[in-house]
Structure formats: structure tokens, C-alpha cells
Amino acid sequence: MGYRFDLQNRVAVHDHGFVVPITDFYDKFGDYTEDPEEAVVIGLVMPPDGLYVTLDLRDMDEDDIVTTLQ
């Protein structure tokens, strides 16, 4: 995929090192949540043009989703 998703710190880290903030979490009902453990969809604002993107975490490889990056 090219990204690792650190839900606890609300960032997506690209393989080349740049960081994109995760702006929103949505639960399985499509409702906004602040709890990363309830999130099944995340929202990001992608540089450079600020395109808003949502990604369904259920479609991701488990290895790409981490609690925190070390």
C-alpha cells in the first residue's frame, strides 16, 4: 500500500517517510467517533491539494494498521 496507519497517534506514515494526519474516525455504523478502537473507516486530507480521502480499514492488510509506530 505504501502507508502504515498509526491510529493512536492519528497519522498515516508513507514508506518514504512523509506523514499525513488522520483527521476523522468513523465506526461500523458510519458515525463519527473519537475512539480509534471503534474506527473502521478513517478520513485523511492528502497533500498537496487537500483532497479528502476515506479508507476502509477492513480492506487493509492487518500489518499496515498499528497501534503506535516505534
Side-chain angles (χ1 to χ4, degrees):
M1 160 139 275
Y3 285 93
R4 303 254 344 244
F5 300 95
D6 180 349
L7 302 183
Q8 197 67 35
N9 291 308
R10 298 181 71 116
V11 294
V13 181
H14 191 271
D15 291 343
H16 294 294
F18 67 87
V19 177
V20 177
I22 297 172
T23 57
D24 302 303
F25 293 134
Y26 299 95
D27 66 17
K28 64 183 177 183
F29 303 108
D31 296 325
Y32 182 81
T33 182
E34 286 291 328
D35 187 350
E37 292 189 23
E38 291 180 358
V40 295
V41 174
I42 58 173
L44 306 107
V45 177
M46 301 297 288
D49 298 326
L51 178 67
Y52 185 77
V53 176
T54 57
L55 299 172
D56 192 322
L57 298 174
R58 296 167 289 193
D59 295 335
M60 304 289 164
D61 185 15
E62 285 184 27
D63 293 338
D64 291 332
I65 303 167
V66 295
T67 304
T68 56
L69 291 174
Q70 303 295 329

